[in-house]
Amino acid sequence: MAPKVLIVTGDAAESLEVLYPYQRLREEGYDVHIAAPARKTLRFVIHDFEPGFDTYTEKPGYTWPADLAFSEVDAGDYVALVIPGGRAPEYLRNDAELRKILKAFFDTDKPVAQICHGPLLTAAIGELGGRRVTAYPALELDMQAAGASFEDHEAVVDGNLISSRAWPDHSAWMREFLKVLRTTAPAV
């Protein structure tokens, strides 16, 4: 049986930041599940970088079914966690069930990959204090307020926490995450 990896997300997550790790981890032989506030078809968005805009733009993205609701997740069934960005983390950080899931991964020191606005979730459970992270650059002050040392790099590895800025950094992010994951829970 293949080791399981959990992706936690919701509506308005960035399409590539959900689907790239989903496909990449499946390619490596992991069984990947997507959890959201409820079992439903999620509506993702596309964040793009266009000349003349001071920040990213947002367009409708792909839809994808959630495999299970946060209330159905047993964190003990999973070897690692992926936290995509987009706008979803802004409201997901208020979900008590999700905060319990996140805490369980950190309490057992399982690998966690976070990208873009995803670190808003780990900040919400107090797990960034004293850690080195990266995130979407506009979150630098949020990361510092959470007690983290912010680094503006494609991927930052701090123990079992692997973070990245945004989807243009996917290659570096997944390369570093898979190095950790292959050591802690290799796929069969």
Side-chain angles (χ1 to χ4, degrees), residues 30-45:
Y30 292 93
D31 184 10
V32 184
H33 297 165
I34 295 176
R39 280 187 194 231
K40 68 174 204 161
T41 299
L42 299 168
R43 292 179 180 98
F44 300 144
V45 297

Side-chain angles (χ1 to χ4, degrees), residues 150-170:
F150 181 84
E151 298 180 11
D152 190 10
H153 300 294
E154 287 181 318
V156 173
V157 179
D158 186 323
N160 281 352
L161 179 63
I162 302 87
S163 54
S164 190
R165 296 176 299 197
W167 63 261
D169 297 333
H170 273 158

Side-chain angles (χ1 to χ4, degrees), residues 45-159:
V45 297
I46 296 170
H47 287 162
D48 207 353
F49 307 96
E50 298 180 30
F53 279 78
D54 291 332
T55 188
Y56 55 85
T57 61
E58 183 173 287
K59 299 167 187 75
Y62 294 105
T63 60
W64 199 266
D67 298 306
L68 61 166
F70 294 149
S71 63
E72 299 172 302
V73 171
D74 179 349
D77 291 343
Y78 297 90
V79 297
L81 176 68
V82 176
I83 306 171
R87 284 186 296 113
E90 294 173 12
Y91 69 90
L92 291 176
R93 62 185 162 177
N94 297 309
D95 188 299
E97 288 294 324
L98 177 56
R99 288 194 309 270
K100 283 191 254 180
I101 294 166
L102 298 171
K103 193 77 173 130
F105 278 90
F106 280 93
D107 287 350
T108 54
D109 200 30
K110 292 180 182 176
V112 175
Q114 59 184 8
I115 189 167
C116 194
H117 285 70
L120 291 173
L121 296 178
T122 50
I125 61 165
E127 290 293 339
L128 295 185
R131 308 242 11 200
R132 296 173 31 254
V133 300
T134 195
Y136 187 69
L139 296 184
E140 181 176 358
L141 295 178
D142 299 276
M143 298 299 97
Q144 291 169 348
S149 172
F150 181 84
E151 298 180 11
D152 190 10
H153 300 294
E154 287 181 318
V156 173
V157 179
D158 186 323

